[in-house]
Amino acid sequence: MAPSLRSRRRRLAVMGETAQQVLVEEHPPETPWPFLTAISFAMLFPGALFRGPLTADITFGLAPTLVYFPVNPLLIIGLSLFVIGLGGWIYGDATREARRTPRLTHEEWSPLEGVEKRKLGMWFFLASEVMFFSALIGTYVMFRVNTPGWPDPSGTLNINLTAVNTFILIVSSFTMVLAYDSAVKGNQMRLKVFLATTTVLGALFLSIQASEYLALIHEGFLPTSGVFGSGFYALTGIHGAHVTAGTIAMGVTSWKAFKGCYSKDDHRGVEMVGLYWHFVDLVWIILFTVVYLI
Amino acid sequence: MAAEIAVQEPVKAHARPYLAVFAGLALLTAVEVYIAQLPIANRNLIIFGLVLFALMKAMLVALYFMHLKYERASLVVMAALPIPVGVLLAVVLLTI
């Protein structure tokens, strides 16, 4: 639907203020996807928590048959629904012609007045992520303090490799902020280059983390290797999942930048993906210290 | 590089020191890795220093890269409010 979006932009440029106001008042249509995604989470988490092996007695008419599930079926159903829900959500959002959310025009006073709606939504999401990671890291620290004879992380983990990886993520945050800066200034060439660089750096971080996991598993350091093992894989794995999501989002944003979807006046997509990316970098900064160094 | 562009663009009142923040982050990471390998007997002192550096880095990212320094204070409060809850959780778990 990009051509229509572009032609709409051109029309906007011609008609000016009036068309802008008409567009601003359009609300995004109601959509079932966020609800479906939420339902999928409700199934995913218990599915992941109470994982298999699970057996069930199913009587097919005559003799009772034992059916064996290697993983909790809830996890499979939840994961499928999650992919469908999020996919539909993103697809609907990407193909919707007038995707502009109305700007906050409330007359009434609010402590968050003037904060652009989409950005406010992103910050609410990030606040929920702060809660999530605070609880995770808090629990890890509790185990770290309460477990006598906690192993020295440098004895198991490759600190220097991860230090390089940390540096890669910091550089990617820097290129992201430069991409945003270019978008603000309307420099399309720099915007494309920096977004693409950030995507590549995100993928590089993930590859290094994958190679680190493989080496550790090869050495026999597994999620079942005591509290340190399960804590390490839980924290770095959940963070890795966030980086994966961020890298995919960054790839989509780069692709849209190459299609010319962001202008000097409207580059909120770049800002949103940037906020998420910096947050993921911020979490890694804490994780690197808490898991690898202390 | 970032400083040059900031000069060209006087519309944004505050020049955003992205390059300086990046340099700070890289430097603090290097210092952290160095300190962690120092043969100091007092492990708690090292841990205190490392956590302090990590928090400084996190603050740099949040304030400058995520532009919290230029946002409304209420947004900052909203984003930071869950952190004390996380600390509280750790403290409560420790006392069980």
Side-chain angles (χ1 to χ4, degrees):
Chain A
M1 299 295 142
S4 53
L5 188 69
R6 232 172 267 155
S7 66
R8 187 167 198 130
R9 288 240 165 99
R10 221 169 289 133
R11 259 186 288 136
L12 263 182
V14 176
M15 295 193 286
E17 196 61 37
T18 336
Q20 192 86 45
Q21 274 165 359
V22 170
L23 209 54
V24 160
E25 274 155 28
E26 270 177 34
H27 286 256
E30 283 172 15
T31 148
W33 301 118
F35 182 70
L36 189 66
T37 311
I39 294 288
S40 80
F41 263 116
M43 300 175 94
L44 242 169
F45 278 119
L49 211 57
F50 307 107
R51 58 187 153 74
L54 207 79
T55 46
D57 276 314
I58 298 174
T59 314
F60 291 113
L62 295 164
T65 318
L66 205 63
V67 180
Y68 177 77
F69 297 103
V71 288
N72 195 325
L74 260 185
L75 183 68
I76 308 285
I77 300 168
L79 208 59
S80 320
L81 280 182
F82 177 69
V83 170
I84 295 167
L86 204 64
W89 195 350
I90 292 170
Y91 182 77
D93 205 34
T95 52
R96 199 177 302 139
E97 198 180 354
R99 285 165 29 260
R100 281 168 180 70
T101 48
R103 289 179 190 278
L104 205 64
T105 50
H106 291 252
E107 291 288 317
E108 73 234 58
W109 184 85
S110 143
L112 293 161
E113 195 186 313
V115 180
E116 200 265 319
K117 259 191 183 171
R118 197 177 270 206
K119 183 153 80 179
L120 186 62
M122 191 66 199
W123 272 108
F124 266 112
F125 167 65
L126 288 182
S128 78
E129 290 277 80
V130 174
M131 273 184 231
F132 179 62
F133 277 106
S134 298
L136 266 181
I137 296 171
T139 313
Y140 182 86
V141 168
M142 187 275 290
F143 278 125
R144 169 80 176 77
V145 174
N146 269 0
T147 310
W150 187 272
D152 182 8
S154 63
T156 317
L157 308 172
N158 188 340
I159 305 294
N160 289 336
L161 178 76
T162 314
V164 171
N165 222 7
T166 306
F167 185 69
I168 289 172
L169 209 57
I170 290 173
V171 173
S172 81
S173 232
F174 182 50
T175 55
M176 181 63 235
V177 87
L178 290 182
Y180 170 73
D181 198 54
S182 313
V184 169
K185 282 153 191 165
N187 191 332
Q188 291 289 325
M189 194 59 224
R190 279 172 54 111
L191 171 68
K192 288 173 201 166
V193 168
F194 283 129
L195 277 180
T197 313
T198 312
T199 314
V200 170
L201 288 172
L204 187 64
F205 176 88
L206 286 173
S207 333
I208 293 179
Q209 198 180 33
S211 76
E212 182 202 16
Y213 273 20
L214 285 178
L216 286 174
I217 289 168
H218 190 71
E219 287 167 22
F221 183 68
L222 300 169
T224 48
S225 310
V227 191
F228 180 47
S230 49
F232 168 81
Y233 282 105
L235 288 189
T236 58
I238 286 169
H239 177 265
H242 278 79
V243 179
T244 310
T247 306
I248 294 169
M250 198 64 74
V252 174
T253 313
S254 308
W255 177 63
K256 286 178 76 178
F258 275 93
K259 286 182 76 181
C261 291
Y262 304 113
S263 65
K264 191 174 176 173
D265 304 316
D266 190 358
H267 45 264
R268 282 177 285 168
V270 180
E271 193 182 4
M272 294 313 115
V273 81
L275 280 176
Y276 179 76
W277 193 255
H278 296 312
F279 174 76
V280 169
D281 179 38
L282 190 155
V283 170
W284 182 255
I285 284 170
I286 304 286
L287 284 189
F288 177 58
T289 303
V290 170
V291 176
Y292 287 83
L293 294 182
I294 66 175
Chain B
M1 198 159 55
E4 272 175 36
I5 301 155
V7 172
Q8 287 168 7
E9 188 79 25
V11 186
K12 294 270 166 188
H14 25 252
R16 295 177 176 182
Y18 296 136
L19 189 64
V21 170
F22 166 67
L25 289 174
L27 193 74
L28 281 173
T29 307
V31 170
E32 269 195 303
V33 174
Y34 177 72
I35 290 181
Q37 289 162 356
L38 281 180
I40 294 176
N42 192 345
R43 200 66 203 153
N44 286 342
L45 189 71
I46 293 184
I47 289 176
F48 177 76
L50 288 174
V51 171
L52 197 70
F53 279 149
L55 290 178
M56 275 166 67
K57 284 159 71 187
M59 289 284 280
L60 279 178
V61 171
L63 287 179
Y64 292 97
F65 283 179
M66 299 174 87
H67 305 122
L68 268 186
K69 190 167 186 269
Y70 315 106
E71 297 286 359
R72 296 183 67 107
S74 44
L75 197 68
V76 182
V77 171
M78 192 187 90
L81 211 57
I83 299 171
V85 182
V87 174
L88 190 72
L89 174 83
V91 171
V92 169
L93 286 176
L94 277 173
T95 52
I96 292 174

